[in-house]
């Protein structure tokens, strides 16, 4: 079945850039998503990218997709303490948001 | 933006009791809702797909008699953990699918329910 992998932890200094990486196994993945989960809150969709794109930028967020290596990354520029959260990548092969396969989540800690 | 309300946020219960978790879409109709389970430091695992007016579709390995799902209206799905045991302790999260057009749909997530079974 599909598998999505992420490293569990990342620490960065406030003001630095954060890069969260994700790899997936399903070559038929159509949509790739990044979600943010703050403590005690639900998942919030941050951004998504279609598999026919290799980059998407949205304010401080940049998503890079290397389809050949099945590697997805999320770069957060000028990381702030409010960015501390768990970030999940997820993939969907259905072409819609019906069902997602999630990674284990990366705990981002922003140090002052 | 669309909001999904999930209650309760946390619940502690004794072993053997049943617990009901509600998931409501507040400003859109959701014919499909999803229930996930998250263990600490592990991924969200899809448990079942809840379809309004029909039986839920369970993922492999999820006991349908243990985790009862009811989707009686377009805005409400419930998950009942029956005869809960300590191994059922987990974080449960629901999501609701908003279909805006044939090519535009989004998932919105509830805030999750932390279940602790003593």
């Amino acid at each position: 079945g599909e598998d999505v992998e992420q490293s569990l932890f990342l620490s960065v200094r406030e003001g630095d850039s954060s890069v969260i990486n994700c790899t997936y196994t399903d070559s038929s993945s159509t949509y790739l998503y990044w979600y943010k989960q703050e403590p005690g809150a639900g998942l919030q969709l941050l951004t998504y990218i279609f598999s026919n794109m290799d980059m998407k930028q949205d304010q401080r967020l940049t998503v890079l997709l290397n389809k050949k290596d099945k590697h997805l990354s999320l770069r957060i520029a000028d990381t702030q303490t409010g960015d501390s959260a768990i970030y999940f990548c997820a993939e969907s092969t259905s072409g819609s948001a019906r069902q997602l396969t999630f990674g284990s989540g990366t705990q981002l800690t922003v140090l002052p | 933006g669309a909001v999904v309300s999930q209650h309760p946020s946390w619940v502690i219960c004794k072993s053997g009791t049943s617990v009901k978790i509600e998931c409501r879409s507040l400003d859109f109709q959701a014919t499909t809702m999803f229930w996930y389970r998250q263990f600490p430091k592990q991924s969200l695992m899809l448990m079942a797909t809840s379809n309004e007016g029909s039986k839920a579709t369970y993922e492999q390995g999820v006991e349908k008699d243990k985790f009862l799902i009811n989707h009686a209206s377009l805005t409400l799905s419930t998950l009942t953990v029956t005869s809960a045991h300590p191994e059922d302790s987990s974080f449960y999260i629901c999501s609701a699918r908003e279909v805006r057009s044939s090519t535009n749909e989004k998932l919105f997530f509830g805030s999750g329910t932390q279940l602790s079974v003593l």
Side-chain angles (χ1 to χ4, degrees), chain A residues 1-109:
Chain A
E2 306 91 354
D3 193 21
V4 179
E5 293 190 359
Q6 301 175 241
S7 53
L8 289 179
F9 303 100
L10 175 66
S11 293
V12 298
R13 293 262 175 218
E14 192 174 11
D16 288 349
S17 292
S18 308
V19 179
I20 303 170
N21 295 302
C22 172
T23 58
Y24 59 98
T25 59
D26 193 340
S27 57
S28 60
S29 297
T30 307
Y31 287 60
L32 295 136
Y33 304 83
W34 283 104
Y35 286 88
K36 178 182 181 182
Q37 184 181 26
E38 297 185 39
L43 291 175
Q44 175 192 6
L45 178 64
L46 284 179
T47 186
Y48 61 93
I49 190 168
F50 301 131
S51 60
N52 62 355
M53 299 166 64
D54 49 25
M55 187 182 92
K56 181 179 180 181
Q57 187 152 3
D58 183 2
Q59 299 182 333
R60 292 191 297 124
L61 305 179
T62 303
V63 179
L64 294 177
L65 174 61
N66 182 327
K67 198 175 178 184
K68 174 177 170 288
D69 295 336
K70 300 192 189 70
H71 181 266
L72 182 73
S73 68
L74 174 69
R75 179 177 180 269
I76 306 172
D78 186 25
T79 314
Q80 303 298 309
T81 54
D83 295 323
S84 293
I86 300 176
Y87 291 81
F88 289 89
C89 75
E91 64 88 21
S92 172
T93 58
S94 65
S96 72
R98 286 198 178 90
Q99 289 185 343
L100 300 168
T101 300
F102 287 86
S104 55
T106 299
Q107 173 71 61
L108 173 64
T109 302

Side-chain angles (χ1 to χ4, degrees), chain A residues 8-9 31 35 37 40-43 48 88 96-100 102-104, chain B residues 34 36 38 41-44 46 49 59 91 93 97 105-107 109-111:
Chain A
L8 289 179
F9 303 100
Y31 287 60
Y35 286 88
Q37 184 181 26
L43 291 175
Y48 61 93
F88 289 89
S96 72
R98 286 198 178 90
Q99 289 185 343
L100 300 168
F102 287 86
S104 55
Chain B
F34 303 95
Y36 300 85
Q38 183 183 18
K41 298 181 183 177
Q42 294 188 29
S43 177
L44 283 171
L46 179 65
T49 302
E59 296 299 301
F91 186 71
I93 194 164
R97 181 166 70 106
E105 57 181 76
K106 289 191 175 181
L107 274 183
F109 288 81
S111 54

